Amino acid sequence: MQRILLLECGPFGRQSRGSGLAQELVERLRQRHPQAQVLERDLASEPLPALAAAYAEALVAQAPGDDPALQVSERLIGELEDSDCLVIATPMHNFTVPAALKLWIDYVLRIGRSFAATEAGKVGLLADRPTFVVVSSGGFYRGEQARQPDFLTSYLRHVLSTIGIHDLEFIHLQGLVRGQAHAEAMLAQARAQLDANPHLAAPGVLP
Ligand SMILES: Cc1cc2nc3c(=O)[nH]c(=O)nc-3n(C[C@H](O)[C@H](O)[C@H](O)COP(=O)(O)O)c2cc1C
């Protein structure tokens, strides 16, 4: 593992429990791969520009990558191409991904660049890589306590697989409005889940 791309998508920065867990996760990856570099992109505190007509036209026309309208898209896809591990820390906002992450998706999923349209459907053109998605939410959308739909998990899974990323692990920190003790219990559960991930296990424990 040479380069880890960390996407921060929530408004709370380092105060976010999800972001804190993602940082821990990156630290664990770096213990296993001390040479790995980390590129962090904070989509919430440094928002991407809103989609312009020129971008939409260039995308539909499948303009060449050096078209100025594709500059942001090229940079973001380039960051993915330069990395071999992806970590996303995202809150759930209104049952799905926050707007900041949706904008990243709209720049990164590009026909003829990050995916090809074939007779059989869309096929990813980027390399697969271990990918972790830490999702934090105020309420519950999985398990017995679920009281709301989840349009985030299957959506993000589909988005990432469209560009070729299939090696995915979701870590769900649910019910974070329930106070510190509950959040700690969720974090403990999440850490146990990470312990079992082959990309994170201590060397010699798992292949
Ligand atoms: C605009 C907005 C929409 C939200 N929508 C949901 C939601 O649909 N479901 C939910 O469980 N929590 C929702 N929340 C709560 C956030 O998911 C929660 O504040 C955040 O994820 C806390 O996690 P953190 O400590 O990692 O930042 C929403 C919060 C905001 C600001």
Side-chain angles (χ1 to χ4, degrees):
M1 189 173 290
Q2 299 297 326
R3 203 163 162 97
I4 301 163
L5 175 61
L6 170 61
L7 296 181
E8 299 274 6
C9 310
F12 294 125
R14 293 290 160 93
Q15 304 300 316
S16 151
R17 274 74 51 102
S19 171
L21 185 70
Q23 299 283 345
E24 261 182 62
L25 203 159
V26 166
E27 237 355 271
R28 287 176 68 161
L29 288 167
R30 292 195 67 234
Q31 277 165 17
R32 272 202 101 175
H33 308 276
Q35 79 291 350
Q37 295 183 335
V38 182
L39 172 65
E40 185 171 340
R41 182 171 271 286
D42 190 328
L43 296 170
S45 72
E46 292 173 58
L48 299 170
L51 298 184
Y55 173 67
E57 282 160 11
L59 181 133
V60 173
Q62 297 193 44
D66 60 0
D67 187 314
L70 296 175
Q71 207 180 348
V72 174
S73 170
E74 278 297 317
R75 182 159 7 107
L76 298 175
I77 295 172
E79 287 174 2
L80 274 174
E81 287 174 328
D82 287 348
S83 60
D84 50 11
C85 177
L86 175 63
V87 178
I88 301 177
T90 181
M92 172 181 276
H93 279 177
N94 293 311
F95 324 114
T96 187
V97 295
L101 178 54
K102 178 59 167 57
L103 199 46
W104 180 87
I105 290 168
D106 288 340
Y107 279 115
V108 164
L109 267 68
R110 237 175 75 206
I111 187 165
R113 179 66 174 88
S114 56
F115 71 87
T118 74
E119 298 262 310
K122 296 176 179 175
V123 177
L125 297 176
L126 303 188
D128 198 7
R129 78 282 311 275
T131 294
F132 300 87
V133 184
V134 178
V135 185
S136 42
S137 61
F140 290 81
Y141 49 86
R142 299 163 79 85
E144 284 181 5
Q145 300 184 72
R147 297 289 181 273
Q148 61 184 326
D150 172 13
F151 297 113
L152 188 156
T153 312
S154 60
Y155 172 65
L156 202 48
R157 186 183 294 284
H158 191 77
V159 158
L160 293 171
S161 79
T162 298
I163 57 174
I165 298 177
H166 308 283
D167 181 356
L168 266 184
E169 173 134 12
F170 279 87
I171 301 106
H172 300 277
L173 296 178
Q174 300 187 85
L176 295 179
V177 294
R178 295 223 173 153
Q180 191 59 20
H182 173 82
E184 289 300 334
M186 277 288 149
L187 285 166
Q189 212 176 76
R191 291 185 185 111
Q193 179 185 343
L194 295 180
D195 287 343
N197 183 289
H199 299 296
L200 290 167
V205 176
L206 281 170

